[in-house]
Amino acid sequence: MHLIKTFWKLIKRAYFSWDRNDPWARSATIAYYALFSLPSLLIIVVTIAGYFFGEKAVQGRITQQISDFIGPDSAEAIEKMIANAALTSSSTVALIFGFAFLIFGATGVFFQLKAAMNNIWNVTAKNNNIKRVVINRIISLGMVLVVGLLLLVSLVISTVLTAISDSIAAMAPAFTSFMLRVLNFLISLVIITSLFAAIFKWLPDVKLRWKTTYLGAMLTTILFLIAESLIGLYFGQSNPGSIYGGASSVVLILLWVYYTCLIVFFGAEFTVQYALYKKEKVEPNEYAEPAIYRELERLEQKRGQLIDEKRILDTLQAHTDIEEEEQKARKEKELANQEKERIKKEKKK
């Protein structure tokens, strides 16, 4: 009972912190970047896993997984993205530039996700110089390679399970089919959890233990699978293509990334609250510092700016007061002259 109360308390704290950090805008931003990063990301992943299993087999597996998530139309659109973005030029210079842009595009979404994770952990980079930007891109590329590695592991395990199930299917076909589905589900659970744990561990500029990240990663995976089922049910009961027409595939991809980011951010917030509850020693790495220092600098700069603005306003107000006094004096002088003229006319009469 105590564990349940503690877990519920952490959930509530994570929700309030999640809502305060405005996940809606950040998720929309990352979804926008992901739309452009997706072709490059998938090409690298397909190339890594395809080296061992063949690119067509890997591409088919990815297409099937995406089809399960957001429907066959969107999966077909992504498959066309991969085909159109493939590096097929015979020119060495074109291949070099193409590969550079491929890396830049594939790391863009993780680059933005890293900034969001830093915001959740309340840390900020000390210096955004070229060296640090390159390091951030390398870390983001590492996440891309992790995705490829996890996909490769998934394919290896699935192949082994299929071979085992085929060998014993004759004895208990129904049991074998059921066990295969259960094992595939558990494998997907482990792989997705490992991916989320890697995101929580490596992307933010904080020193964090794997043990701390895995509980938040498990919660994120459960929420992700629940959301996957709900959105699959929604797609099954409705026809998004009738609403968005030809843009339905793009909209569904954005929606898929959007709700995934919302869930990832909540899992990261839960990880923060869990670390606080366990009194874990979490500190920025050598490239970052607590965000409060940067906020204090900004507040000091804002204070100086407000002082300058007040001085300008006071100067303008002083000029206005002088002008009003001068206008008042001129009007009084005009009235006095008019009165003198009136008195002179009356004396003449």
Side-chain angles (χ1 to χ4, degrees):
M1 183 63 70
H2 176 70
L3 290 176
I4 295 176
K5 287 183 178 180
T6 302
F7 180 76
W8 180 243
K9 186 184 296 184
L10 294 177
I11 288 286
K12 289 194 294 184
R13 290 177 179 174
Y15 171 77
F16 289 125
S17 181
W18 174 81
D19 185 60
R20 186 171 58 249
N21 281 326
D22 191 15
W24 318 100
R26 289 187 174 274
S27 297
T29 300
I30 294 176
Y32 175 80
Y33 275 93
L35 188 63
F36 297 98
S37 297
L38 197 57
S40 302
L41 172 63
L42 290 177
I43 288 173
I44 294 176
V45 170
V46 167
T47 302
I48 293 172
Y51 181 79
F52 300 94
F53 281 86
E55 290 190 4
K56 289 186 177 180
V58 175
Q59 190 169 331
R61 175 65 179 267
I62 291 176
T63 303
Q64 181 59 44
Q65 291 292 329
I66 295 174
S67 178
D68 293 340
F69 286 152
I70 53 179
D73 293 338
S74 299
E76 184 180 352
I78 290 176
E79 192 172 9
K80 289 180 180 178
M81 286 182 188
I82 300 174
N84 293 333
L87 297 176
T88 57
S89 174
S90 58
S91 171
T92 304
V93 176
L95 281 173
I96 292 173
F97 277 99
F99 184 74
F101 282 113
L102 193 69
I103 297 296
F104 184 82
T107 56
V109 63
F110 288 107
F111 194 78
Q112 294 298 320
L113 192 57
K114 179 181 180 64
M117 288 293 166
N118 280 344
N119 180 70
I120 290 172
W121 282 98
N122 290 319
V123 296
T124 186
K126 289 180 179 178
N127 295 308
N128 285 321
N129 51 25
I130 296 178
K131 178 182 176 182
R132 185 54 189 160
V133 170
V134 171
I135 291 174
N136 287 338
R137 288 289 174 178
I138 292 174
I139 293 173
S140 300
L141 178 61
M143 290 304 307
V144 176
L145 298 179
V146 166
V147 173
L149 179 62
L150 289 176
L151 177 63
L152 180 61
V153 170
S154 173
L155 288 169
V156 170
I157 295 175
S158 295
T159 302
V160 172
L161 288 177
T162 301
I164 294 174
S165 64
D166 289 342
S167 63
I168 62 175
M171 294 181 289
F175 179 75
T176 302
S177 176
F178 172 75
M179 286 302 298
L180 186 62
R181 287 198 299 270
V182 171
L183 287 174
N184 275 327
F185 173 78
L186 292 176
I187 290 167
S188 298
L189 193 70
V190 171
I191 289 174
I192 295 173
T193 302
S194 299
L195 177 60
F196 288 143
I199 289 173
F200 297 160
K201 167 71 176 177
W202 287 332
L203 284 187
D205 287 319
V206 294
K207 298 176 182 178
L208 198 61
R209 296 193 305 169
W210 281 105
K211 181 180 177 181
T212 307
T213 66
Y214 259 99
L215 183 60
M218 289 175 61
L219 176 64
T220 306
T221 302
I222 293 171
L223 293 176
F224 175 78
L225 294 175
I226 292 173
E228 174 194 339
S229 301
L230 293 176
I231 202 168
L233 180 64
Y234 167 72
F235 290 156
Q237 298 296 325
S238 62
N239 184 15
S242 63
I243 301 175
Y244 299 108
S248 60
S249 297
V250 173
V251 172
L252 293 182
I253 292 170
L254 289 172
L255 180 62
W256 178 37
V257 178
Y258 182 75
Y259 86 77
T260 300
C261 286
L262 289 175
I263 293 170
V264 168
F265 292 156
F266 184 81
E269 295 285 2
F270 182 85
T271 304
V272 172
Q273 297 304 321
Y274 178 70
L276 292 173
Y277 170 74
K278 297 295 290 184
K279 297 181 180 179
E280 293 279 349
K281 184 181 179 182
V282 180
E283 57 185 5
N285 59 24
E286 62 271 25
Y287 301 108
E289 62 183 359
I292 188 172
Y293 298 150
R294 189 64 56 84
E295 291 297 324
L296 289 173
E297 290 179 5
R298 290 174 182 170
L299 288 174
E300 188 63 29
Q301 292 174 357
K302 187 66 177 176
R303 179 175 175 274
Q305 182 182 350
L306 290 175
I307 291 173
D308 290 339
E309 290 177 357
K310 185 177 183 302
R311 179 177 53 79
I312 294 171
L313 288 175
D314 290 342
T315 302
L316 292 175
Q317 185 63 42
H319 288 319
T320 303
D321 292 340
I322 292 172
E323 289 179 359
E324 289 178 353
E325 290 292 333
E326 290 177 349
Q327 289 178 0
K328 184 178 179 182
R330 282 196 299 267
K331 287 182 180 180
E332 290 178 351
K333 187 175 181 180
E334 289 176 1
L335 290 174
N337 291 334
Q338 291 174 3
E339 184 66 20
K340 288 180 180 179
E341 290 294 330
R342 187 182 65 80
I343 293 172
K344 287 181 181 180
K345 290 179 180 179
E346 288 181 353
K347 287 181 177 180
K348 290 180 179 178
K349 292 179 180 181

